[in-house]
Amino acid sequence: MECLAHFNIMETNPTTKQKGFPPVGHRRWVIAEGYIPGTSIGPKPAMVSHETACVLNVSEEDAHLEITIFYSDQEPIGPYKVTVPARRTKHIRFNDLTDPQPIPRDKDYASVIESNVAVVVQHTRLDSRQAENALMTTMAFADTETVMMR
Amino acid sequence: MECLAHFNIMETNPTTKQKGFPPVGHRRWVIAEGYIPGTSIGPKPAMVSHETACVLNVSEEDAHLEITIFYSDQEPIGPYKVTVPARRTKHIRFNDLTDPQPIPRDKDYASVIESNVAVVVQHTRLDSRQAENALMTTMAFADTETVMMR
Amino acid sequence: MECLAHFNIMETNPTTKQKGFPPVGHRRWVIAEGYIPGTSIGPKPAMVSHETACVLNVSEEDAHLEITIFYSDQEPIGPYKVTVPARRTKHIRFNDLTDPQPIPRDKDYASVIESNVAVVVQHTRLDSRQAENALMTTMAFADTETVMMR
Amino acid sequence: MECLAHFNIMETNPTTKQKGFPPVGHRRWVIAEGYIPGTSIGPKPAMVSHETACVLNVSEEDAHLEITIFYSDQEPIGPYKVTVPARRTKHIRFNDLTDPQPIPRDKDYASVIESNVAVVVQHTRLDSRQAENALMTTMAFADTETVMMR
């Protein structure tokens, strides 16, 4: 197998001997579908209806995210600020976002996720409004344009 | 964080202080799967079986969409015209499209969505034909060719 | 809205006044997940467990597809030949493919779909092994390399 | 149909007369969502809750994969090594990965899959925690950067 010049054993972490990854992904992602059901059935918290943006930051730098929520009948709200540390994943539940304000239940929305370093974003919804769950997932849309951070 | 030259606080909307977004996405999207079940179980309207194109227009300009529906056994029908205002999302239910004619139930179809400004399109289906719901979603296929509007 | 030079009202079909579309999509698609459950519950044929490749051909030329099925423990089988007429969609059930041989139930497979003209392919599975259905969908992987037809 | 110069009947396999495929896909893929439920309902093994990476290697060369698992609260673990033979698919259950260590249940994770030859990766989860199944799938995110193998 090939081994490129910028291959990089992380000298600062000799016990796990993990290689370092360059940033992978993009710096702006879009999820056009968003909807948090207002009711749930099943044990909490795993079975509470939720809408999730799963973010992976493989890089050696913390990713500072800014999430903007768009609605059908009002101006967009944001930024919601979330940090995904270096070499970590974070499964962000839209249900849990509260600052600047919670996302209403039973209302259509969409989101734009911007980051200072490249990340990968996948969208998942667990809907437990009825006795059995329904699941759906998709990779978010990766925008290839330059990101404008605030 | 970097802050590009075309960063643009929306001076016309000083109370929300939202930054402006450039257009994000593409101007032609394709959903190859389409099927509206003829029957539903559960409270209306949230639990009616439906097929949705979730569209996000982050730009400062209204997006005028033209949707063309393709079938397996007849000529395509369209355009269905839908407007997604600037800085808004719209979750378009194919069930609700009526002009030039409603989309038949229990019949395979596919759709092409064209817009004058770049948008992002995500496809979702809620199937409530049986006691429990099933959900599925995917980003639509983004065509990178130049769009030909009528 | 812009109106490009190759904009093309289909003169041969004056009653519907549909515009013509150029080919949209790609000529080789991959679905890495494939599995037809061996059992079903519910009314036939709509509720039979099935795995589908939804293909949309918006162009003015018939699309001649060649599907190759890959397995985990034997050589690939194909080509399965399917035609999607001009301006039509076809929702191909893998369950229904019989020539050169049916696809076994309860066995992992994957598929490559090649076409002489650009098409869009979306993958959907309805799983009705238990009392309630499960649904999943994703756009297939669009290969951008040149297609080699047999 | 066109027939390019590098069209290549596999002379070494005259009985099946399969054509050879060039490598299709990419050499690094990302799945940002990962979660193996700790409990299942239904007959084993088909109905055990599982999280799967379906990999297709259409090429004439074995694909040697290296999977790295990322967590929200600890350093990444890997590589998990898996081989997908030439002209074969393999549906890899994350549940079954044990070396260097099993993936914990009921814990968020994400994964990077690297290969020495181009492959296609699709992510699927079957969740059978409740009486009825839920299914979800998406193509993994294909990174177009050069892969650095260890």
Side-chain angles (χ1 to χ4, degrees):
Chain A
M1 301 174 191
E2 72 185 294
C3 181
L4 302 188
H6 54 295
F7 175 84
N8 172 25
I9 294 291
M10 286 164 49
E11 301 295 351
T12 58
N13 193 357
T15 54
T16 64
K17 290 192 174 52
Q18 284 294 325
K19 70 175 174 183
F21 278 93
V24 172
H26 293 279
R27 300 202 299 136
R28 186 191 285 136
W29 293 81
V30 178
I31 303 172
E33 153 79 90
Y35 183 86
I36 305 175
T39 56
S40 297
I41 293 175
K44 294 181 181 179
M47 291 300 181
V48 172
S49 288
H50 60 260
E51 183 106 0
T52 308
C54 300
V55 182
L56 176 59
N57 173 20
V58 304
S59 82
E60 300 301 310
E61 184 182 353
D62 290 358
H64 298 287
L65 310 183
E66 296 195 351
I67 304 173
T68 303
I69 306 292
F70 290 79
Y71 294 98
S72 62
D73 56 0
Q74 63 173 83
E75 285 295 305
I77 303 291
Y80 297 84
K81 299 194 176 185
V82 179
T83 296
V84 183
R87 300 183 303 280
R88 293 291 183 277
T89 185
K90 185 169 278 187
H91 293 199
I92 304 167
R93 289 189 180 201
F94 288 95
N95 306 37
D96 295 340
L97 298 177
T98 56
D99 182 11
Q101 64 184 62
I103 299 176
R105 272 51 180 169
D106 293 326
K107 184 177 167 84
D108 292 337
Y109 67 91
S111 52
V112 173
I113 300 173
E114 295 171 292
S115 173
N116 58 323
V117 297
V119 295
V120 175
V121 179
Q122 185 172 349
H123 170 228
T124 301
R125 188 199 293 168
L126 169 71
D127 186 334
S128 60
R129 280 176 293 182
Q130 298 191 315
E132 311 306 333
N133 294 326
L135 274 178
M136 66 180 196
T137 196
T138 186
M139 284 292 150
F141 173 76
D143 185 34
T144 56
E145 297 297 313
T146 308
V147 173
M148 303 179 307
M149 299 298 288
R150 251 161 283 243
Chain B
M1 300 173 193
E2 71 185 295
C3 182
L4 302 187
H6 54 295
F7 174 84
N8 172 24
I9 295 289
M10 286 164 49
E11 302 295 351
T12 57
N13 192 359
T15 54
T16 64
K17 291 191 174 54
Q18 283 295 324
K19 69 175 175 183
F21 279 93
V24 172
H26 293 278
R27 300 202 297 136
R28 184 191 285 137
W29 294 80
V30 177
I31 303 172
E33 153 79 89
Y35 182 86
I36 305 173
T39 57
S40 296
I41 293 175
K44 296 181 181 180
M47 291 298 181
V48 171
S49 289
H50 60 260
E51 184 106 0
T52 308
C54 299
V55 181
L56 177 58
N57 173 20
V58 304
S59 82
E60 300 301 310
E61 183 182 354
D62 291 357
H64 299 286
L65 310 183
E66 296 195 349
I67 303 173
T68 304
I69 306 292
F70 290 78
Y71 295 98
S72 62
D73 56 1
Q74 63 174 83
E75 285 296 304
I77 302 292
Y80 295 84
K81 298 193 176 187
V82 178
T83 296
V84 183
R87 302 184 301 282
R88 293 292 184 276
T89 184
K90 185 168 278 188
H91 293 201
I92 303 167
R93 290 191 180 200
F94 287 95
N95 306 37
D96 296 340
L97 298 178
T98 56
D99 183 9
Q101 63 184 63
I103 299 177
R105 273 51 180 168
D106 292 325
K107 183 178 167 86
D108 293 337
Y109 67 91
S111 52
V112 173
I113 299 173
E114 295 171 293
S115 173
N116 58 322
V117 297
V119 295
V120 175
V121 179
Q122 184 172 349
H123 169 228
T124 301
R125 186 198 294 169
L126 170 70
D127 186 334
S128 61
R129 281 176 291 181
Q130 299 191 315
E132 311 307 332
N133 294 327
L135 273 178
M136 66 180 196
T137 196
T138 186
M139 284 293 150
F141 172 78
D143 186 34
T144 55
E145 298 297 314
T146 308
V147 172
M148 304 178 306
M149 298 298 288
R150 250 160 285 243
Chain C
M1 300 173 192
E2 71 185 294
C3 182
L4 303 187
H6 55 295
F7 174 84
N8 174 25
I9 295 290
M10 285 164 51
E11 302 295 351
T12 58
N13 191 0
T15 54
T16 65
K17 289 191 176 55
Q18 284 295 324
K19 70 176 174 183
F21 278 93
V24 172
H26 293 279
R27 301 201 297 137
R28 184 191 286 136
W29 294 79
V30 177
I31 302 171
E33 154 78 90
Y35 183 85
I36 305 174
T39 57
S40 296
I41 293 176
K44 296 182 181 179
M47 290 301 181
V48 171
S49 288
H50 60 260
E51 183 105 0
T52 308
C54 300
V55 182
L56 177 58
N57 173 20
V58 304
S59 82
E60 300 301 310
E61 183 183 352
D62 290 358
H64 298 287
L65 310 183
E66 296 195 350
I67 304 173
T68 304
I69 306 293
F70 290 79
Y71 294 98
S72 62
D73 57 0
Q74 63 174 83
E75 285 295 305
I77 302 291
Y80 296 84
K81 299 192 175 187
V82 178
T83 295
V84 183
R87 301 184 303 281
R88 294 291 184 276
T89 185
K90 184 169 279 188
H91 293 200
I92 303 168
R93 290 192 178 199
F94 287 96
N95 306 38
D96 295 341
L97 297 178
T98 57
D99 183 9
Q101 64 183 63
I103 298 177
R105 271 52 179 166
D106 293 326
K107 184 177 167 86
D108 291 338
Y109 67 90
S111 52
V112 173
I113 301 174
E114 295 171 292
S115 173
N116 58 323
V117 297
V119 295
V120 176
V121 178
Q122 184 172 349
H123 170 228
T124 301
R125 187 199 294 169
L126 169 71
D127 186 334
S128 60
R129 281 176 291 182
Q130 299 190 314
E132 310 308 332
N133 294 327
L135 273 179
M136 66 181 197
T137 195
T138 186
M139 284 293 151
F141 172 76
D143 185 35
T144 55
E145 298 296 315
T146 308
V147 173
M148 303 179 306
M149 298 298 288
R150 249 161 285 244
Chain D
M1 301 174 191
E2 71 185 294
C3 182
L4 302 186
H6 54 296
F7 174 85
N8 173 25
I9 294 289
M10 285 163 51
E11 301 296 352
T12 58
N13 191 359
T15 55
T16 66
K17 289 193 176 53
Q18 284 294 323
K19 70 175 174 182
F21 277 93
V24 172
H26 294 280
R27 300 201 298 137
R28 185 191 284 136
W29 294 79
V30 177
I31 303 172
E33 153 78 271
Y35 183 85
I36 306 174
T39 57
S40 295
I41 292 175
K44 295 181 182 179
M47 289 301 181
V48 172
S49 288
H50 60 260
E51 184 104 0
T52 307
C54 299
V55 182
L56 177 58
N57 173 21
V58 304
S59 82
E60 300 300 311
E61 184 182 353
D62 290 358
H64 298 288
L65 310 183
E66 296 195 351
I67 304 173
T68 303
I69 305 292
F70 290 79
Y71 294 97
S72 62
D73 56 0
Q74 63 173 81
E75 286 294 306
I77 303 291
Y80 296 84
K81 297 194 176 187
V82 179
T83 295
V84 183
R87 301 184 303 280
R88 294 290 184 279
T89 185
K90 184 170 280 188
H91 294 200
I92 303 168
R93 289 190 178 199
F94 287 95
N95 306 37
D96 296 340
L97 297 178
T98 57
D99 182 9
Q101 63 184 63
I103 299 176
R105 271 53 179 166
D106 293 326
K107 184 177 167 85
D108 292 338
Y109 67 91
S111 52
V112 173
I113 300 173
E114 295 172 292
S115 172
N116 58 323
V117 297
V119 295
V120 175
V121 179
Q122 185 172 348
H123 169 228
T124 301
R125 188 199 293 169
L126 168 71
D127 186 334
S128 60
R129 282 176 292 181
Q130 298 191 316
E132 311 307 332
N133 295 326
L135 273 179
M136 66 181 195
T137 196
T138 185
M139 283 293 150
F141 172 77
D143 185 35
T144 55
E145 297 298 313
T146 308
V147 172
M148 304 178 306
M149 298 298 288
R150 250 160 285 244

